[in-house]
Amino acid sequence: SQQGEEDPQALSIQEGENATMNCSYKTSINNLQWYRQNSGRGLVHLILIRSNEREKHSGRLRVTLDTSKKSSSLLITASRAADTASYFCATFPSEYGNKLVFGAGTILRVKS
Amino acid sequence: NAGVTQTPKFQVLKTGQSMTLQCAQDMNHNSMYWYRQDPGMGLRLIYYSASEGTTDKGEVPNGYNVSRLNKREFSLRLESAAPSQTSVYFCATHQRQGGSGYTFGSGTRLTVV
């Protein structure tokens, strides 16, 4: 069964706006990761946040992690049409060892 | 530097036919994975290999077998394809030390008719 669940399932915004996607998970984790998938392509790793971190930045990306609520959020600031893609959170559960577990994803559409 | 290479990119099989999906990496990563992606389901782990010489079942292993041929190559075999195995298959690699993410191939789109 899936560990992570993203919310919303789909998001449509105008270019220049910010996009926020949320992820909830079920068990304790070592880290949480976000990936992007452009249509018809493989997944690309965006950012990793460890269980002892609360916030992390990478360019226009900001990720937060709240282990008490078992939730994370991905913020993309000043979105561009090229950000149109599916975004997945994935967790490295503490007890599953070397296996990454993915959520169902959020489809982001940025309109120009 | 190719990263993770999957072949073929597309395949159509008839029910009952067999085939092998190939995955090769030049990342020198120890761990390799096979996932399938179905609409609305995210990615589900089929099999993985934590290191050369070892393989383990993931969440949805039924109907599949794998071979970790060497450190570079990890193949996925469908012995008798079924329509339920119509999916997009992704190979991924990972090096646990260093806290990095997975590196994915571009996928194999398989249709079983």
Side-chain angles (χ1 to χ4, degrees):
Chain A
S1 60
Q2 290 169 329
Q3 161 81 318
E5 294 184 3
E6 286 93 339
D7 172 59
Q9 290 185 324
L11 181 61
S12 183
I13 60 174
Q14 290 293 133
E15 202 166 28
E17 294 181 339
N18 295 341
T20 299
M21 288 159 269
N22 303 296
C23 170
S24 61
Y25 57 91
K26 299 173 184 174
T27 67
S28 61
I29 61 171
N30 289 323
N31 66 63
L32 184 144
Q33 304 175 28
W34 286 90
Y35 288 78
R36 183 188 74 231
Q37 183 181 34
N38 292 94
S39 181
R41 309 293 292 274
L43 279 74
V44 175
H45 179 252
L46 294 176
I47 194 166
L48 180 153
I49 186 165
R50 291 183 170 81
S51 60
N52 61 353
E53 298 176 311
R54 293 296 169 259
E55 187 171 313
K56 201 162 184 179
H57 296 256
S58 177
R60 293 184 296 113
L61 306 180
R62 172 178 171 256
V63 170
T64 62
L65 179 65
D66 186 335
T67 53
S68 66
K69 295 181 179 178
K70 291 186 169 60
S71 67
S72 173
S73 68
L74 171 68
L75 169 67
I76 303 174
T77 60
S79 63
R80 305 165 182 169
D83 294 328
T84 294
S86 293
Y87 292 82
F88 295 88
C89 75
T91 53
F92 227 105
S94 303
E95 72 269 30
Y96 292 165
N98 203 22
K99 295 180 285 185
L100 200 59
V101 182
F102 286 83
T106 292
I107 300 171
L108 173 65
R109 180 185 173 206
V110 181
K111 296 176 285 186
S112 58
Chain B
N1 188 348
V4 180
T5 302
Q6 291 185 236
T7 55
K9 294 190 184 305
F10 302 93
Q11 183 72 48
V12 178
L13 289 179
K14 293 182 179 178
T15 297
Q17 287 185 318
S18 63
M19 79 160 294
T20 300
L21 281 66
Q22 306 285 355
C23 176
Q25 55 121 344
D26 61 6
M27 312 287 289
N28 201 34
H29 287 171
N30 287 325
S31 302
M32 298 185 74
Y33 308 81
W34 278 104
Y35 286 88
R36 60 177 288 174
Q37 184 177 32
D38 302 293
M41 298 287 291
L43 277 76
R44 292 182 291 169
L45 183 64
I46 305 171
Y47 269 94
Y48 69 103
S49 171
S51 61
E52 185 179 354
T54 69
T55 61
D56 285 287
K57 295 178 181 179
E59 182 185 357
V60 288
N62 291 346
Y64 306 94
N65 284 301
V66 290
S67 296
R68 182 73 182 267
L69 305 171
N70 47 56
K71 189 171 185 178
R72 289 188 64 248
E73 298 171 291
F74 188 38
S75 62
L76 178 72
R77 182 161 179 83
L78 287 70
E79 291 291 351
S80 179
S84 61
Q85 293 178 305
T86 293
S87 188
V88 182
Y89 292 84
F90 288 99
C91 176
T93 69
H94 181 234
Q95 190 72 4
R96 191 179 177 95
Q97 292 79 17
S100 62
Y102 283 22
T103 302
F104 280 83
S106 58
T108 295
R109 186 172 295 273
L110 175 67
T111 301
V112 182
V113 298

